[in-house]
Amino acid sequence: MTLNDFDLVLFGGSGDLAMRKLLPAMYARDRAKDLPASARIICVGRHDCTTEAFLASVNTTSKPHIADTALDAAVWQRFCQRIHYVALDATDPASYTALATAMRDDPALTRVYYLATPPTLFATICLNLAACQLATPNSRVVLEKPLGRDLKSARQIIADVGSVFAESQIFRIDHYLGKEAVQNLLALRFGNVLFEPLWRREWISDVQITIAEELGVGNRTGYYDTSGALRDMLQNHLLQLLCIVAMEPPTMITPDAVRDEKLKVLRSLKKFTPATLSQNVVRGQYRAGHVNGVAVPGYRKEPGANPESRTETFVAVRAEIDTWRWAGVPFYLRTGKRMADQLAEIVVRFKSIPHSIFAQSTGSFLPNSLVIRLQPDEGLHLNLMAKTPGDSMRLKPVDLEMDFHETFKSPRMDAYERLLLDVLRGQLTLFMRSDELEAAWEWVEPILDHWDQEESDPFPYTAGTWGPAAASALIGRDGLQWREET
Ligand code: BG6
């Protein structure tokens, strides 16, 4: 689909996200010849500098995030010509005049305001855009997470942004929904007849969703210390993955049909009470250790960190969904920084066979499982039982493996490439609706309240491990183990 000509305005245009992800994603789409010839990217930042000076920093800061094999001097030159820089104080309405001057005043163009800023600025920016007549009917606004820090602040953002833009103009981004393997999960569930009859409590014993990172918080302690793993990852990425795994088949792949089903899942999550919380939620914080053989400091010793910080860098939750399909099936969600491996995966474990016709000595039985790998390698693993060759009837678990890179040799699209294209096309399916956002905050809020009142610190865990022992105990109480422990 050819894109309409556009002005894309990046607030936070000199920030980390713009440099690492957004500009490289737009470059990739330029190289793929998706961008109209006169489409422009207007980067907005607080610092006073010229477009030339800004481009020099794009060259040194953003360009290294593009693979050498994707760099093409002519495309890079064309891409740089699209970029303009505007210095602007987001809180000062007068300074939006410079932005108005830099933008093209043509109602036939698409205007996109991408707010890669702290959420405390979302309302101010939108209200100032409206005051300067920049929030036009041909405009869209993209909001980066975190969308608030609790239910109250999220509701305030929804109301303030909603007073300027219609819901159909608001794109609340969760980059996990743009990942190839997440898209493939939709294809797997709803493009095959095989899984759907089994995709329910009668046949599934439990589901594990893990996003583990080897990285620490790096230079983001300022943001992270006020956020923590629950707000940074669980409230959004992990819950969105859970929605895709658990939702009922939407009638069509249209924005509201998909989002209605996701919303039902979020609203059906069993609410925590103070009594159930301590059994079902574990938080941890990394201490010094080794990751890939390299010594790394503990969270409290990271540059800029509060030496007494109680911010969690790990969280594990046992969730349940109160529906006919899922009643009683535990969903274990887990994420952490400085863990033993860098991976994101969904493990669906099926129940054991109801009756074995084989003698005890026929091998090691494992229930079937389906592993959907999101990263680092994207693929599917279906664990089945098979007979080992030979005279005796010995069974052994085998792995049916599908590697997306091997199967589809076509070039990959980064999540931000796909999502930016969707914004430019006006396609909302992969973006969160306001009621989804509220439902997600409503569910996590009792956890936040409980932690606020709790006297104790998060459980310590050594960097380079799979998190605190309490996380193994959480799943162990159900007689289960995390996948890497089996
Ligand atoms: C971001 C979080 O949303 O997702 C980061 O703010 C985290 O803390 C990142 O590192 C993980 O994303 P990915 O795509 O690298 O798994």
Side-chain angles (χ1 to χ4, degrees), residues 4 9 64 66 70 104 126 155 245 247 251 358-359 390 417 462 472:
N4 191 26
V9 181
I66 300 169
R104 289 173 290 172
C126 291
R155 282 193 171 138
V245 174
M247 71 184 189
T251 47
F358 304 105
E417 286 179 50
T462 307
S472 304

Side-chain angles (χ1 to χ4, degrees), residues 145 175-176 179 213 220 223 232-233 237 337 375:
K145 60 161 270 282
H175 78 277
Y176 263 72
K179 290 190 188 265
E213 296 183 274
R220 294 168 79 221
Y223 151 72
D232 188 48
M233 301 291 286
H237 304 326
K337 302 237 180 244
Q375 51 198 37

Side-chain angles (χ1 to χ4, degrees), residues 200-202 248 268 321-329:
R200 56 193 67 246
R201 64 190 300 278
E202 286 78 7
E248 295 297 319
S268 311
I321 302 171
D322 282 339
T323 59
W324 274 41
R325 187 188 282 265
W326 293 118
V329 178

Side-chain angles (χ1 to χ4, degrees), residues 20-21 144-146 174-176 179 211-213 215-217 220 223-224 227 232-233 236-237 337 342-344 375 414-416:
R20 270 189 317 113
K21 295 284 184 187
E144 254 300 332
K145 60 161 270 282
D174 184 313
H175 78 277
Y176 263 72
K179 290 190 188 265
I211 306 178
E213 296 183 274
L215 295 173
V217 286
R220 294 168 79 221
Y223 151 72
Y224 197 86
S227 167
D232 188 48
M233 301 291 286
N236 32 74
H237 304 326
K337 302 237 180 244
Q342 182 84 19
L343 67 86
Q375 51 198 37
D414 177 71
Y416 276 100

Side-chain angles (χ1 to χ4, degrees), residues 274-292:
T276 58
L277 256 164
S278 42
Q279 291 289 305
N280 291 296
V281 183
V282 167
R283 61 173 169 161
Q285 191 188 65
Y286 62 81
R287 297 284 183 264
H290 288 81
V291 175
N292 284 330

